[in-house]
């Protein structure tokens, strides 16, 4: 059996620290959370690879570096309520849960909602992370505003609902672009003003919208 603790340690050193991830809380969270519990059994050996890994339903768990970069950009300190759009395996939500007070993670594929919940429980990370079956392009107004929003699927433009549900001050990371040419943007709201900058270029699965929850 693979030595997952060793693979995890190496991932943090070689994929995160050496590429400039500096937020100690992000590094500590990712050094601790057992990523192998968030991938399907037949992908377990690939859990710590430097790339996205299939999780079924045509979806992927993001590359570790991308999770770290996105989490770092949010500058979480521990008191925040965070919205994640695209819970997938639940791994990214687990990382955010280790960095913030509370995470609401939305997912459109019902099977993945269940799986993400199970994965979070197995990893002992379920206490402050709630996975909800919802179309994340509409956000989740019931629990808004959110101090931080992390979007794990690409939209052609920033959905207005997400911007409206971002607290002031608040930070959002979101891949923007159609097709495979996307940029990861950091959007900051402060005193009623919105500023944006590009963090990196990226390649995420598309954010579904308008299709309703029953169409997969
Ligand atoms: N953060 C995930 C990776 C997500 S992949 C992880 O850590 O594993 C992107 C996910 O977004 C997929 O699971 C996909 O089903 C979901 N998704 C796509 N469109 C969505 C939408 N409109 N609302 C909620 N989830 C969506």
């Amino acid at each position: 059996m693979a030595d997952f603790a060793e693979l995890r340690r190496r991932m943090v050193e070689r994929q995160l620290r050496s590429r400039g991830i500096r937020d100690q809380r992000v590094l500590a969270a990712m050094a601790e959370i057992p990523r192998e519990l968030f991938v399907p059994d037949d992908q377990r050996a690939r859990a710590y690879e430097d790339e996205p890994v299939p999780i079924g339903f045509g979806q992927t768990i993001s590359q570790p570096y991308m999770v770290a970069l996105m989490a770092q950009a949010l500058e979480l300190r521990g008191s925040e309520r965070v919205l994640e759009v695209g819970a997938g395996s639940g791994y990214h939500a687990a990382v955010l849960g280790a960095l913030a007070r509370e995470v609401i993670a939305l997912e459109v594929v019902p099977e993945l909602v269940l799986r993400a919940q199970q994965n979070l429980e197995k990893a002992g990370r379920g206490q402050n992370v709630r996975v909800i079956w919802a179309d994340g392009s509409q956000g989740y107004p019931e629990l808004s505003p959110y101090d931080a929003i992390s979007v794990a699927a690409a939209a052609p433009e920033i959905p207005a609902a997400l911007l409206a549900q971002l607290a002031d001050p608040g930070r959002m990371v979101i891949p923007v672009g159609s097709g495979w040419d996307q940029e990861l943007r950091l959007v900051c709201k402060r005193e009623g003003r919105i500023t944006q900058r590009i963090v990196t270029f990226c390649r995420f699965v598309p954010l579904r919208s308008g299709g309703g929850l029953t169409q997969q």
Side-chain angles (χ1 to χ4, degrees):
M1 196 174 110
D3 181 352
F4 289 118
E6 175 59 16
L7 291 174
R8 195 177 312 122
R9 198 190 60 73
R10 264 190 240 165
M11 171 196 80
V12 170
E13 292 309 316
R14 295 180 191 174
Q15 299 177 37
L16 309 186
R17 214 188 288 275
S18 72
R19 285 192 193 136
I21 301 296
R22 288 283 170 267
D23 185 323
Q24 296 303 318
R25 296 179 72 238
V26 171
L27 293 167
M30 292 183 67
E32 196 169 310
I33 296 170
R35 188 170 157 95
E36 69 276 11
L37 298 182
F38 291 86
V39 300
D41 288 347
D42 61 351
Q43 299 292 332
R44 204 138 282 179
R46 298 179 60 198
Y48 291 93
E49 283 184 12
D50 191 12
E51 58 190 11
V53 172
I55 54 170
F57 310 95
Q59 307 303 325
T60 54
I61 179 173
S62 306
Q63 177 195 29
Y65 175 69
M66 191 54 71
V67 174
L69 195 63
M70 290 172 76
Q72 176 170 270
L74 294 177
E75 296 184 358
L76 300 170
R77 293 292 169 262
S79 60
E80 301 85 357
R81 170 179 286 181
V82 181
L83 180 73
E84 194 203 14
V85 174
S89 68
Y91 175 74
H92 199 152
V95 172
L96 295 170
L99 301 171
R101 178 168 53 87
E102 184 186 7
V103 178
I104 314 300
L106 308 180
E107 173 55 55
V108 264
V109 178
E111 291 88 344
L112 287 176
V113 172
L114 190 66
R115 198 172 294 169
Q117 275 165 344
Q118 289 168 344
N119 293 343
L120 284 155
E121 289 304 323
K122 265 191 293 180
R125 295 281 160 180
Q127 308 89 329
N128 65 340
V129 182
R130 211 185 320 169
V131 187
I132 298 175
W133 183 38
D135 173 5
S137 67
Q138 303 305 310
Y140 196 72
E142 291 87 334
L143 296 173
S144 69
Y146 302 98
D147 304 300
I149 300 180
S150 182
V151 184
E157 285 176 57
I158 299 172
L162 296 183
L163 214 44
Q165 291 169 37
L166 186 63
D168 186 348
R171 296 166 82 84
M172 164 160 55
V173 275
I174 178 167
V176 179
S178 37
W180 292 117
D181 283 323
Q182 305 161 9
E183 50 198 40
L184 182 71
R185 289 200 208 158
L186 172 65
V187 180
C188 297
K189 193 190 267 189
R190 180 172 280 275
E191 292 169 3
R193 288 189 42 214
I194 306 288
T195 55
Q196 296 189 29
R197 72 175 173 83
I198 298 173
V199 180
T200 187
F201 294 93
C202 57
R203 187 164 279 200
F204 280 80
V205 297
L207 182 73
R208 302 182 196 181
S209 67
L213 285 176
T214 50
Q215 294 176 16
Q216 299 305 333

